[in-house]
């Protein structure tokens, strides 16, 4: 029986790669649902190619336009803010890839879990803001959350042979260091949006690319690792590894360290999230370590890149603080992309928002949405 798959954020970097890898295995996977915020031109092409039963467009006007364009096709079009949730609730789906960007993934991830659907999770902001709630609900419903983020996929792969959680000493998350590795604070003050979007190793959506340049991406991934693998903050270590060949490592109590290596190609972790526990061939070039040469490691410079430290602080403070960290970061990154603030103002905005917040423990979905909104409003 084919697995019925929904790709949420199908017009994005992860979504497009997911459609690409799954298109090679039509005997195993059927794409039954796709979605975007507003890129209906691409959705129309994807609809033609993959013949899904449903499409969700969160922007109402664009959704109506797509509905008119696809009149006569046997495809149900959902549109509006709640369209992702409505689509998931009405359909029979075996696995949802959540590859939308930002907090917009939270509600639909929870709705999917509540229906007992397994999740392939790319959208890290969801687990940062709602980690406890998402993981508890998934446990309760017996759903799997399979990481797509390359570092967490690596840890997931290194941890799978471990039968006893107590035997894990630490996880080591690797980070490329982004385009500004080695920069001083003064030099960072002058970088442009174009500079920040020029990531040395990975081609990704704009938000995650800016997060990689500030090291907030690694901060969000530290929080993601805490929830996905049940780790304490001091069990999660970040190592700068500019070659992006080792995707992360797990250190065990006996001193053994297991790493996952591969080319910097998201198609590997994306496909693995669907095929787990099996492995299927990908179109990725084999890793040639002779050609790669030296693998090097450095400590992160948390003074020049304070976002990483802010994420550790939010994680240690706990409760609703990561919601504020995430919301403030989303607003600050959007402002930077619109050239309204400088690169160095991103952590300043986040720290200020965190400083004003009174922590709520064990936030529920309505609390998270409220705190997220209030944080955005307070920054303006
Ligand atoms: P992109 O910006 O390339 O794509 C985002 C997708 O989500 C698009 O389909 C977009 O639609 C849709 N979208 C954007 N905003 C909303 C919204 N408010 N509601 C519903 N849908 C929305 O992002 P990426 O693919 O790069 O990243 C997706 C997620 O995966 C992020 O959380 C990122 O951190 C994570 N990730 C990405 C990696 C990568 O290599 N790209 C690696 C690891 C994690 P439209 O095109 O219409 O705007
Ligand atoms: Mg990553």
């Amino acid at each position: 029986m084919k697995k019925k798959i929904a790709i949420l954020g199908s017009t994005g970097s992860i979504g497009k790669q997911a459609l690409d890898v799954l298109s090679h295995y039509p005997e195993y996977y059927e794409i039954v649902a796709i979605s975007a915020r507003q890129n209906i031109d691409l959705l129309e092409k994807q609809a033609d190619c993959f013949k899904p039963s449903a499409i969700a467009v969160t922007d109402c006007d664009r959704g109506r336009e797509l509905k008119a364009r696809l009149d006569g096709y046997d495809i149900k079009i959902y549109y509006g803010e709640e369209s992702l949730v409505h689509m998931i609730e009405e359909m029979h789906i075996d696995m949802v890839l959540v590859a939308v960007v930002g907090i917009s993934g939270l509600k639909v991830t929870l709705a999917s879990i509540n229906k007992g659907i397994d999740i392939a999770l790319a959208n890290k902001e969801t687990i940062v803001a709602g980690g406890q709630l998402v993981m508890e609900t998934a446990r309760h419903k017996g759903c799997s959350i399979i990481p797509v983020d390359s570092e967490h996929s690596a840890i997931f792969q290194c941890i799978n042979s471990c039968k006893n959680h107590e035997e894990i000493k630490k996880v080591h998350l690797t980070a490329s260091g982004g385009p500004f590795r080695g920069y001083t604070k003064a030099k960072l003050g002058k970088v442009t949006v174009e500079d920040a979007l020029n990531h040395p190793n990975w081609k990704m959506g704009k938000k995650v690319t800016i997060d990689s340049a500030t090291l907030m991406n690694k901060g969000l991934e530290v929080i993601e690792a805490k929830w996905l693998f049940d780790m304490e903050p001091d069990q999660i270590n970040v190592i700068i590894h500019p070659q992006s060949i080792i995707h992360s490592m797990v250190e065990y109590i006996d001193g053994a360290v297991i790493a996952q290596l591969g080319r910097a190609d998201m198609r590997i972790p994306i496909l693995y999230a669907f095929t787990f526990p099996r492995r299927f061939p990908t179109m990725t070039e084999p890793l040639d370590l002779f050609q790669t040469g030296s693998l090097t490691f450095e400590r992160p410079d948390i003074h020049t890149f304070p976002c990483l430290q802010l994420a550790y602080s939010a994680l240690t403070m706990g409760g609703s603080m990561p919601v504020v960290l995430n919301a403030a970061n989303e607003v600050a990154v959007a402002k930077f992309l619109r050239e309204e603030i400088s690169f160095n103002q991103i952590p300043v905005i986040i720290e200020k928002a965190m400083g004003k917040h009174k922590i709520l423990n064990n936030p529920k979905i309505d609390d998270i949405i409220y705190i997220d909104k209030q944080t955005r409003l307070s920054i303006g």
Side-chain angles (χ1 to χ4, degrees):
M1 266 265 277
K2 287 186 193 183
K3 260 193 177 179
K4 293 185 186 303
I5 307 289
I7 308 281
L8 307 183
S10 63
T11 56
S13 159
I14 294 284
K16 284 189 283 189
Q17 293 179 85
L19 288 175
D20 173 33
V21 291
L22 293 181
S23 71
H24 292 84
Y25 297 102
E27 66 278 37
Y28 291 98
Y29 304 103
E30 183 186 354
I31 309 297
V32 295
I34 56 177
S35 89
R37 183 185 42 169
Q38 48 77 31
N39 188 351
I40 57 170
D41 292 339
L42 184 52
L43 279 178
E44 196 178 355
K45 286 189 190 133
Q46 292 177 342
D48 199 41
C49 188
F50 293 94
K51 312 275 185 291
S53 318
I55 303 179
V57 187
T58 53
D59 181 289
C60 276
D61 293 341
R62 304 297 278 163
R64 273 191 214 101
E65 196 183 330
L66 185 68
K67 194 173 162 69
R69 283 194 205 175
L70 294 179
D71 190 32
Y73 282 75
D74 190 15
I75 302 178
K76 182 157 184 188
I77 311 292
Y78 297 78
Y79 51 84
E81 272 294 306
E82 302 296 321
S83 59
L84 295 175
V85 171
H86 290 156
M87 181 171 78
I88 296 296
E89 280 176 347
E90 286 181 14
M91 293 186 71
H92 174 69
I93 292 168
D94 298 308
M95 192 167 206
V96 173
L97 169 67
V98 186
V100 298
V101 68
I103 192 76
S104 61
L106 179 64
K107 270 194 185 173
V108 69
T109 303
L110 279 169
S112 306
I113 296 171
N114 273 316
K115 261 197 90 178
I117 303 171
D118 290 333
I119 307 286
L121 188 70
N123 173 241
K124 59 192 84 182
E125 295 90 345
T126 279
I127 201 101
V128 167
Q132 188 167 0
L133 183 62
V134 167
M135 296 313 286
E136 277 175 9
T137 316
R139 260 192 301 275
H140 180 64
K141 293 284 175 180
C143 299
S144 303
I145 309 239
I146 316 253
V148 168
D149 211 346
S150 57
E151 296 76 2
H152 304 76
S153 174
I155 293 169
F156 182 71
Q157 294 176 57
C158 298
I159 238 168
N160 258 325
S161 58
C162 172
K163 298 275 175 277
N164 186 351
H165 191 265
E166 319 276 279
E167 292 169 8
I168 302 165
K169 189 172 174 195
K170 273 184 177 209
V171 297
H172 299 277
L173 291 175
T174 53
S176 69
F180 306 137
R181 183 173 62 89
Y183 275 38
T184 60
K185 196 106 194 162
K187 205 168 163 197
L188 274 187
K190 297 194 192 100
V191 300
T192 64
V193 171
E194 197 187 334
D195 298 332
L197 287 175
N198 190 18
H199 195 281
N201 302 356
W202 300 95
K203 179 107 195 60
M204 311 179 282
K206 284 185 181 173
K207 155 72 169 51
V208 59
T209 305
I210 301 300
D211 286 346
S212 299
T214 61
L215 289 199
M216 180 55 93
N217 183 49
K218 214 45 56 179
L220 299 178
E221 291 183 358
V222 166
I223 302 175
E224 192 183 2
K226 185 240 155 29
W227 293 114
L228 288 175
F229 306 113
D230 192 16
M231 293 285 142
E232 293 304 318
D234 63 359
Q235 286 182 292
I236 309 166
N237 184 39
V238 171
I239 299 175
I240 304 291
H241 164 48
Q243 297 80 22
S244 295
I245 295 292
I246 297 180
H247 298 303
S248 278
M249 301 175 250
V250 178
E251 181 179 343
Y252 289 89
I253 49 174
D254 60 358
V257 178
I258 302 186
Q260 187 256 335
L261 285 72
R263 280 185 184 270
D265 185 336
M266 284 306 296
R267 290 177 299 178
I268 301 172
I270 291 171
L271 184 59
Y272 187 66
F274 291 106
T275 63
F276 170 77
R278 298 189 59 192
R279 289 181 185 275
F280 289 1
T282 59
M283 291 44 74
T284 308
E285 287 278 299
L287 174 65
D288 179 351
L289 285 172
F290 295 112
Q291 193 190 43
T292 307
S294 303
L295 301 184
T296 60
F297 307 94
E298 299 161 17
R299 281 181 206 285
D301 176 358
I302 52 170
H303 300 293
T304 312
F305 297 89
C307 284
L308 178 57
Q309 198 52 44
L310 288 172
Y312 268 108
S313 302
L315 177 59
T316 311
M317 290 181 221
S320 53
M321 194 54 96
V323 181
V324 176
L325 173 96
N326 180 66
N329 181 55
E330 284 195 37
V331 175
V333 170
K335 280 179 178 286
F336 174 70
L337 283 169
R338 293 194 301 266
E339 299 184 334
E340 291 169 15
I341 60 168
S342 71
F343 189 81
N344 282 339
Q345 275 177 288
I346 297 174
V348 175
I349 288 175
I350 300 165
E351 191 169 12
K352 204 166 149 200
M354 285 171 63
K356 284 196 287 194
H357 181 60
K358 270 186 77 180
I359 295 174
L360 174 73
N361 283 320
N362 207 358
K364 300 287 171 254
I365 180 77
D366 291 344
D367 304 319
I368 296 171
I369 290 167
Y370 177 78
I371 293 165
D372 175 84
K373 205 172 249 167
Q374 288 305 112
T375 305
R376 288 166 196 269
L377 285 174
S378 76
I379 299 168

